[in-house]
Amino acid sequence: MTTSTSRASAATFTSAYDHGFARIAACTIPLAIAEPLRNAEAVLAEARSCHDQGVAVAVFPELCLSGYSIEDLFLQDPVLDAVDEAVDAVVRGSVDLLPVIVVGAPLRRNNRLYNTAVVVHRGEILGVVPKSLLPTYREFYERRHFAPGDDMRGSSITVAGREVPFGPDLLFDAEDVPGLVLHVEICEDLWVPVPPSAEAALAGATVLANLSGSPITVGRAEDRHLLCRSTSSRCLAAYVYAAAGMGESSNDLSWDGQTMLYENGVLLAETERFPDGPRRSVADVDVDLLRQERMRQGTFDDNRRMHAARTNDFRTVPFRLDPPREDIGLLRSVHRFPFVPNDAERLALDCYEAFNIQVSALQQRMAYIGEPTLVIGVSGGLDSTHALLVAAQAMDRLGRPRTDILGYTLPGFATSEHTKSNAYALGEALGISFAEIDIRPAALEMLGQMGHPFAKGEPVYDVTFENVQAGLRTDYLFRLANDRGGIVVGTGDLSELALGWCTYGVGDQMSHYAVNAGVPKTLIQHLIRWVISAGQFDEETAQILQSVLDTEITPELVPAGEDEQVQSTEGTIGPYSLHDFTLFHVLRYGFRPSKIAFLAHHAWRDPDAGSWPPGFPVDERYGYELAEIRRWLEVFLKRFFGFAQFKRTAIPNGPKVMAGGALSPRGEWRAPSDATARAWLAELERVLP
């Protein structure tokens, strides 16, 4: 199996194939019963359309050259002779076509007939795969006509005048598309505890194709989805499914022509069922992602070692695809907010789980300590608001009064009346103990003792000026916790930890328990929206939460200028929407910067394209040009890899929340604090100078 990975260049940045994608199609066609040459024409017509679309692999239904439902006609020599001619027609017609064509055909070998998939590319038969498991129960009667092919490993077959590899042990490896390794199984092969595709995946196959006849009955379509999804997830692979449709016999059965394509448990594409013509599900499979998943999940290869006696015997058939290197678009959904689902039901479930993960973790920590009060700084911004909601829910579940939450607003030199009023209103609505401590006198005293120019009246707003305020706020909270028998609840989120956008040590980087440390900034606003919509708190609280959502993100450490513009976090370090996009793909998949830029470009270039998360205001939707994406990607790389790790190495306890990753060195992310970002910056510069 090829283990190297694709490398994009500046000249091919727009090519999906150069970023580790392979375009795959699951096709269904109207067929003519027992008319193989006519069916071959239908296959080639669809294959030509796939060629025009830049498809690498086109999968057709089971026995589609003859028809699945011809029963005893399978044993008629005129039909089988015509099948042989039809295979030859497909081979000759494929000479100038890009796709690997996988087509179903009944083929003779020695004294038996086999239900097979013929794999054709550019005028050659790469190999033939027989069906291993033949159903002979309920409506199925395949052993009447066919021999099982599970014992054909290492064999060959003569078809259309060509001797070619034959067996269920064939892997078709595209040498010029690293990671694209195809395996084929047929219908019933999937419906058993250990399907051939499971062994093939362990042997290196990343794209698992299923040619299916599968007459439709009530509920079967859902079962197919379940099997395809679970197989793709368990095998860390793409699963391509094409079922028979129009033209099959209606003697006693009906056919729906279902096609679908899953990748690692995610549905990429499907067609409507019961079509009135040819249909295909087409999507760009991320074989680079599948390679990464298998590499980081070491148990996948451990499982291969357990079954090495079988997986080591697979045969590899190499071929060159010669895919298009120009811009052919990207046929897959790329979420603008990868931590935030676009589906309303899924988003509600994710918010429910995230909120309750946070609440139950804090509840457990409080129960272990005893009965501490909870000390929390409440700024009126997103993070502290959400942390306060988590704290209130934890107190409720423990049966303790919310007055045991000690909320403090700690105004500094740039605190606005709007955020402070939000903090007061929220504290009152939630019924917590609330107080104000003005940190300005202490900050001015400290700045004066340091000889800082601001203490002499000069408008110098440097990092020292900011960190004196941030540090004093945290210092007060810790000392208050000492005095009141409490613990400090941290409010900083996952995105801030990624960027190092927090004051180290005696600052907002530190707390006794960091409930938000596993939640990205782009999800927190949706969590607060969910708290409102789910009625977790009363109507008065909900109105205040909406005011918080409408407030610009700001650290409020630098006074507004003459233009009355407040200090903007995103204006300084960049938009969290792009940073969270990069964080997800770095943390979850380890993608190269150029690939992240490619994905972000497709996700963000057109505000009117694609889906947005439920509840995202229509009039606030926006996009980014490639130059902006590159600019802020570089900022992320410098901060994440070259600067912020020392802050993450020393973070307090807090729960992992997102499957997309966490940054605690005790949980998921372990990295040296003295690393640099040079390798990532060099790759970005090479591809996007």
Side-chain angles (χ1 to χ4, degrees), residues 24-31 36 38-51 53 55-68 86 90-91 93-94 97-105 115-121 129 182-187 207-214 239-246 248 257-261 277-282:
I24 310 295
C27 311
T28 191
I29 55 171
L31 61 82
R38 185 173 163 188
N39 293 330
E41 292 174 3
V43 167
L44 286 170
E46 192 69 5
R48 281 189 284 271
S49 296
C50 289
H51 169 88
Q53 208 171 353
V55 168
V57 178
V59 178
F60 290 84
E62 180 179 11
L63 296 170
C64 65
L65 288 184
S66 60
Y68 177 89
V90 171
V91 173
S94 71
L97 299 182
L98 169 65
V100 173
I101 301 169
V102 187
V103 62
N115 180 342
T116 77
V118 184
V119 182
V120 176
H121 187 239
V129 179
L182 172 70
H183 177 265
V184 181
E185 63 186 4
I186 302 174
C187 202
V207 176
L208 311 174
N210 187 303
L211 291 73
S212 181
S214 194
Y239 203 86
V240 192
Y241 183 91
M246 281 185 67
E248 291 286 2
Q258 186 173 23
T259 72
M260 68 186 92
L261 205 166
R279 294 290 188 276
R280 61 182 178 271
S281 297
V282 186

Side-chain angles (χ1 to χ4, degrees), residues 6-84:
S6 60
R7 295 286 195 273
S9 66
T12 62
F13 172 77
T14 58
S15 167
Y17 279 97
D18 282 321
H19 289 287
F21 294 98
R23 188 159 293 177
I24 310 295
C27 311
T28 191
I29 55 171
L31 61 82
I33 291 176
E35 294 190 53
L37 286 171
R38 185 173 163 188
N39 293 330
E41 292 174 3
V43 167
L44 286 170
E46 192 69 5
R48 281 189 284 271
S49 296
C50 289
H51 169 88
D52 294 339
Q53 208 171 353
V55 168
V57 178
V59 178
F60 290 84
E62 180 179 11
L63 296 170
C64 65
L65 288 184
S66 60
Y68 177 89
S69 55
I70 66 172
E71 305 206 52
D72 284 355
L73 301 187
F74 281 125
L75 300 176
Q76 292 291 310
D77 280 338
V79 171
L80 297 177
D81 291 344
V83 167
D84 203 57

Side-chain angles (χ1 to χ4, degrees), residues 355-611:
F355 187 66
N356 281 281
I357 287 169
Q358 294 176 271
V359 170
S360 63
L362 179 59
Q363 184 181 346
Q364 167 63 22
R365 182 52 54 98
M366 292 165 65
Y368 173 75
I369 293 172
E371 290 199 356
T373 58
L374 298 180
V375 177
I376 184 169
V378 185
S379 69
L382 283 173
D383 290 348
S384 65
T385 294
H386 182 62
L388 182 55
L389 296 175
V390 171
Q393 192 84 314
M395 280 295 184
D396 291 350
R397 291 186 185 179
L398 288 169
R400 293 176 54 189
R402 291 184 187 172
T403 50
D404 283 352
I405 301 172
L406 313 181
Y408 293 91
T409 183
L410 301 134
F413 297 115
T415 301
S416 69
E417 283 302 315
H418 176 69
T419 56
K420 190 164 77 167
S421 64
N422 276 345
Y424 266 98
L426 190 60
E428 182 178 353
L430 290 173
I432 68 171
S433 300
F434 199 82
E436 177 179 332
I437 297 177
D438 188 342
I439 67 167
R440 288 174 294 183
L444 197 59
E445 174 72 17
M446 181 178 287
L447 289 166
Q449 290 181 352
M450 294 170 60
H452 192 276
F454 180 82
K456 302 172 185 176
E458 299 179 32
V460 177
Y461 309 129
D462 57 8
V463 173
T464 302
F465 173 80
E466 295 188 42
N467 281 349
V468 162
Q469 296 173 78
L472 278 171
R473 284 171 175 158
T474 303
D475 200 1
Y476 271 113
L477 294 175
F478 269 91
R479 302 298 75 79
L480 287 162
N482 294 155
D483 187 60
R484 309 291 200 269
I487 60 171
V488 177
V489 177
T491 61
D493 61 49
L494 183 72
S495 309
E496 292 175 341
L497 285 170
L499 296 163
W501 190 250
C502 51
T503 301
Y504 182 73
V506 184
D508 54 334
Q509 178 255 359
M510 188 48 61
S511 65
H512 288 114
Y513 196 71
V515 294
N516 283 347
V519 184
K521 184 80 75 179
T522 49
L523 180 62
I524 282 183
Q525 59 181 301
H526 292 281
L527 282 169
I528 295 175
R529 286 194 182 102
W530 174 80
V531 165
I532 296 171
S533 64
Q536 297 292 307
F537 297 92
D538 60 30
E539 183 59 33
E540 180 186 359
T541 303
Q543 292 178 7
I544 300 163
L545 294 178
Q546 188 59 54
S547 177
V548 171
L549 287 170
D550 295 337
T551 302
E552 182 177 4
I553 302 170
T554 171
E556 292 195 319
L557 294 171
V558 174
E562 293 181 2
D563 58 0
E564 298 186 355
Q565 286 293 311
V566 298
Q567 181 186 17
S568 169
T569 296
E570 294 187 298
T572 303
I573 60 169
Y576 278 113
S577 51
L578 288 181
H579 287 322
D580 277 1
F581 187 93
T582 301
L583 174 62
F584 177 87
H585 291 99
V586 164
L587 197 57
R588 181 67 181 83
Y589 297 120
F591 285 164
R592 298 181 185 86
S594 61
K595 179 166 184 171
I596 295 171
F598 175 80
L599 291 169
H601 181 50
H602 281 275
W604 284 102
R605 61 184 173 181
D606 183 359
D608 297 323
S611 301

